[in-house]
């Protein structure tokens, strides 16, 4: 299939809607001032063919998309023991909710809500220099040097009272091993990584290749683990709207409040869309429309 014309058509279709609806994340100034009228889309097939259109090489704050890659590190390093303190069910609650965590004794529902990602960060901090490891994994996967946006990381830290509450709450249940400040520093930094659509489409490539690195052929995750990450993306990857995503798009997706969404078509391709204005559930409004158009035009779906 020729993907470049499909992506060009999606950009042309959505261009009139750029900056018209939705709201850019405004909980920190560095995200609030990102111009809403941007849109990029990029994909990479299992065979290494690439197509991209619009603002596909503009770096943006990947935010919760980073949780996909910290989970990957956690699964790779810890195997089954990662799941001792983290569940695998959709939360049905806002991504930063405290209520469920109390009822469930400090065990977060899944690795993609904030509490779950903080629990993963704690496990990673126990193992190695987690900030260096996540940058090294992402740089290797996409073939470009990847870095933190220190301004975003500092703002996340300055305003992240709820994340601090989640971390302290889990610590009170004995579910966090390390110093809370150190764990949150890792969490805020990985949320503050900057990458473009093209870099993310490349970096996620192992998820459509049974866990195999898109360039080196190294096994990043086992085939089974890669399938499980896709399953978690489908059921838990898009805040409290995973059912709606499955219904409208039919692909495993992970979104972030920076406006990026990574999607996987197992055994075919990975793609990333980005547009900063969000719909109320926290995912990119035009990103969702773009993915809907993509699956409608190509007929690709896991169902
Ligand atoms: N850094 C954000 C937070 O912890 C993550 C936002 C997101 O879900 O993308 O609040």
């Amino acid at each position: 299939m020729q993907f470049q014309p499909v992506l060009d058509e999606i950009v042309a279709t959505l261009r009139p809607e750029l900056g018209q609806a939705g709201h850019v994340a405004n909980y920190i100034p560095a995200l609030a001032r990102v111009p809403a009228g941007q849109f990029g889309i990029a994909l990479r097939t299992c065979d290494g063919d690439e197509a991209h259109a619009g603002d596909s090489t503009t770096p943006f704050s990947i935010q919760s998309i980073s949780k996909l890659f910290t989970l990957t590190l956690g699964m790779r390093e810890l195997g089954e023991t990662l799941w001792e303190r983290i569940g695998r069910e959709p939360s049905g609650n806002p991504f930063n909710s405290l209520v469920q965590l109390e009822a469930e004794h400090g065990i977060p529902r899944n690795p993609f809500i904030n509490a779950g990602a903080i629990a993963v960060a704690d496990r990673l901090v126990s193992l190695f220099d987690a900030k260096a490891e996540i940058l090294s994994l992402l740089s290797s996967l996409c073939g470009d040097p990847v870095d933190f946006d220190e301004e975003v990381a500092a703002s996340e830290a300055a305003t992240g009272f709820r994340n601090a509450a989640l971390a302290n709450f889990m610590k009170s249940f004995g579910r966090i091993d390390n110093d809370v400040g150190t764990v949150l520093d890792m969490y805020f930094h990985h949320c503050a990584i900057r990458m473009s659509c093209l870099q993310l489409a490349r970096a996620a490539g192992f998820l459509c290749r049974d866990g195999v690195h898109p360039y080196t052929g190294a096994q990043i995750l086992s085939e089974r683990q890669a399938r499980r990450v896709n399953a978690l993306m489908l059921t838990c990857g898009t805040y409290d709207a995973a059912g709606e995503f499955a219904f409208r798009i039919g692909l495993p997706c992970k979104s972030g409040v920076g406006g990026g969404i990574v999607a996987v078509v197992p055994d075919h391709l990975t793609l990333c869309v980005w547009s900063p204005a969000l719909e109320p559930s926290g995912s990119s409004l035009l990103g969702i429309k773009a993915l809907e158009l993509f699956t409608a035009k190509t007929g690709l779906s896991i169902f």
Side-chain angles (χ1 to χ4, degrees):
M1 191 183 293
Q2 289 298 314
F3 288 110
Q4 190 59 48
V6 177
L7 301 196
D8 290 337
E9 223 178 284
I10 291 172
V11 169
T13 307
L14 294 179
R15 189 166 286 133
E17 294 188 45
L18 275 184
Q20 299 298 308
H23 297 282
V24 172
N26 60 5
Y27 69 99
I28 52 173
L31 291 185
R33 63 169 180 264
V34 175
Q38 304 184 79
F39 175 82
I41 184 163
L43 66 79
R44 180 182 169 92
T45 68
C46 288
D47 301 328
D49 296 330
E50 294 184 340
H52 55 111
D55 302 309
S56 55
T57 57
T58 305
F60 60 90
S61 190
I62 73 170
Q63 291 294 324
S64 277
I65 297 173
S66 61
K67 296 172 184 173
L68 195 54
F69 299 99
T70 51
L71 172 66
T72 297
L73 270 184
M75 288 173 77
R76 189 186 80 187
E77 298 295 323
L78 295 160
E80 288 298 306
T81 63
L82 179 72
W83 304 111
E84 286 165 2
R85 292 183 194 170
I86 304 167
R88 301 179 294 247
E89 289 296 337
S91 72
N93 271 305
F95 68 109
N96 55 8
S97 169
L98 278 151
V99 177
Q100 207 162 43
L101 203 51
E102 168 140 52
E104 297 180 2
H105 311 288
I107 298 191
R109 273 281 171 110
N110 68 68
F112 291 150
I113 53 174
N114 286 15
I118 292 167
V120 173
D122 174 55
R123 301 295 299 272
L124 297 180
V125 162
S126 296
L127 292 173
F128 39 43
D129 178 350
K131 283 160 66 179
E133 283 294 328
I134 189 67
L135 289 183
S136 148
L137 175 71
L138 281 167
S139 303
S140 155
L141 285 171
C142 78
D144 285 333
V146 165
D147 214 342
F148 304 120
D149 180 330
E150 289 293 347
E151 185 197 349
V152 171
S155 298
E156 300 273 2
T159 59
F161 303 111
R162 191 170 273 264
N163 288 321
L166 291 168
N168 280 295
F169 206 36
M170 286 189 286
K171 182 98 179 165
S172 77
F173 283 104
R175 312 286 189 202
I176 294 282
D177 293 330
N178 296 283
D179 166 62
V180 165
T182 309
V183 175
L184 287 173
D185 183 57
M186 166 61 183
Y187 174 78
F188 292 136
H189 273 84
H190 72 65
C191 286
I193 289 171
R194 280 167 68 77
M195 290 173 76
S196 68
C197 287
L198 187 55
Q199 290 172 327
L200 278 167
R202 290 172 178 164
F206 67 100
L207 292 174
C208 73
R209 304 178 83 229
D210 295 332
V212 175
H213 191 296
Y215 296 121
T216 66
Q219 199 79 40
I220 298 295
L221 291 179
S222 70
E223 181 184 344
R224 187 159 186 233
Q225 286 176 319
R227 277 194 211 155
R228 288 176 156 184
V229 173
N230 287 331
L232 287 164
M233 290 171 76
L234 185 77
T235 52
C236 313
T238 47
Y239 306 112
D240 201 11
E244 189 68 11
F245 263 74
F247 187 81
R248 287 171 65 183
I249 296 163
L251 295 175
C253 292
K254 182 73 203 88
S255 55
V257 294
I261 309 175
V262 164
V264 182
V265 187
D267 301 323
H268 277 86
L269 56 88
T270 38
L271 75 160
C272 178
V273 291
W274 168 62
S275 192
L278 310 176
E279 51 126 69
S281 75
S283 295
S284 169
L285 193 138
L286 286 189
I288 295 172
K289 287 194 180 180
L291 290 172
E292 264 187 303
L293 285 170
F294 180 81
T295 49
K297 283 175 194 293
T298 59
L300 292 169
S301 162
I302 60 162
F303 297 111

